[in-house]
Amino acid sequence: MSGAGSRALVTGGAVRLGREIALSLARSGVDVCIHYGASADAARQTLAEIREYGVQAIAVQGDFREPVSATEQVFRAVAEEFGPIDVLINNAAIFESGSLAETDESAWDRHLDINLKAPFFMTRQFAAQLPVEQSGAVVNIIDWRASRPVPGHAAYTIAKGGLLTMTRLLACELAPRIRVNGVSPGAILPPPGSDEAYLEALADQIPMERTGSPSDITDAVMFLLRSGFLTGEVVHVTGGEHL
Ligand SMILES: NC(=O)c1ccc[n+]([C@@H]2O[C@H](COP(=O)([O-])OP(=O)(O)OC[C@H]3O[C@@H](n4cnc5c(N)ncnc54)[C@H](OP(=O)(O)O)[C@@H]3O)[C@@H](O)[C@H]2O)c1
């Protein structure tokens, strides 16, 4: 046991950063449930890789465009197939550009549902299923834009701002049994559909003059999980971009 928990659920755990977090947990001996939305094939592949570390793993589908019913469905499956979890990583999100003028109701609802309402109801379900004698930890994957908002991704940034506030609020409400922390990534992976040129163009604006790697994020997640006196904290993994 690594001190990072014993059984974790990672939302959006089939691909990209979620997958890296799931694999890091598995490497530390933690059993992992990956939640996925549309990436069923990738989820199967990630499950196989997780099991190579000798831990238990399952995958559970849930569409966070219907956050309340999806989170109920996910935790029902987790309870039936896996048992109680003591670590929740709220990672799944969408990232679409749009100014105030460009953001219509459906873009607003999509971002608020997937990026904020789903983590809220996932945390509610998580707290309810954790046996009273057990302690647990939640890590929310936020974004530096929540701390230093810049125009261009209005609905996304507002939803992540809510997730930052939620991290601090629920850290108070769920203490001492459950710690709630956040990781705010900077430029780590190009958004789906973009290539490395997207990241290269950003490097000039970053004090560290480079972008980060998925291991920078997984290191921060594992640090927060292992740090038993940290709660309500948000670690910016940005090379200084949030400053
Ligand atoms: N990439 C970066 O450099 C960066 C920078 C700042 C912040 N972040 C944050 O870090 C986290 C991971 O980033 P990423 O780039 O790895 O994200 P990503 O590639 O866009 O992946 C997002 C995940 O969210 C899930 N998802 C999207 N819509 C969903 C829906 N309707 N229902 C259920 N799941 C849904 C996807 O699952 P399926 O594929 O299974 O549908 C996917 O696993 C996000 O919270 C993001 O905001 C990332």
Side-chain angles (χ1 to χ4, degrees), residues 108-122:
W108 172 269
D109 286 346
R110 212 163 40 249
H111 282 86
L112 273 287
D113 283 345
I114 297 168
N115 295 8
L116 181 58
K117 196 168 174 182
F120 180 85
F121 283 95
M122 287 295 291

Side-chain angles (χ1 to χ4, degrees), residues 12 15-17 35-39 62-65 91-94 114 141-143 156 160 185-189 192:
V15 296
R16 289 167 54 90
L17 292 184
H35 151 271
Y36 65 95
S39 298
D63 186 346
F64 286 167
R65 284 173 300 183
N91 163 79
I94 55 167
I114 297 168
I141 309 300
I142 314 174
D143 189 299
Y156 173 83
K160 291 289 189 176
I188 307 291
L189 293 176

Side-chain angles (χ1 to χ4, degrees), residues 125-231:
Q125 293 277 347
F126 173 73
Q129 60 84 59
L130 188 69
V132 281
E133 69 285 359
Q134 249 182 285
S135 57
V138 178
V139 177
N140 295 319
I141 309 300
I142 314 174
D143 189 299
W144 64 269
R145 290 172 179 83
S147 308
R148 183 171 76 80
V150 290
H153 299 85
Y156 173 83
T157 302
I158 291 165
K160 291 289 189 176
L163 190 57
L164 174 64
T165 297
M166 192 181 102
T167 301
R168 293 178 175 149
L169 172 75
L170 296 187
C172 294
E173 183 165 339
L174 296 175
R177 209 160 65 92
I178 300 175
R179 295 182 301 110
V180 185
N181 291 294
V183 171
S184 276
I188 307 291
L189 293 176
S194 304
D195 59 16
E196 286 298 316
Y198 174 95
L199 292 181
E200 281 161 23
L202 290 177
D204 280 354
Q205 306 160 27
I206 299 172
M208 295 283 289
E209 297 179 358
R210 64 175 180 84
T211 57
S213 67
S215 65
D216 294 314
I217 302 303
T218 58
D219 285 352
V221 170
M222 298 307 287
F223 165 75
L224 289 171
L225 291 177
R226 290 182 174 127
S227 303
F229 199 46
L230 271 188
T231 196

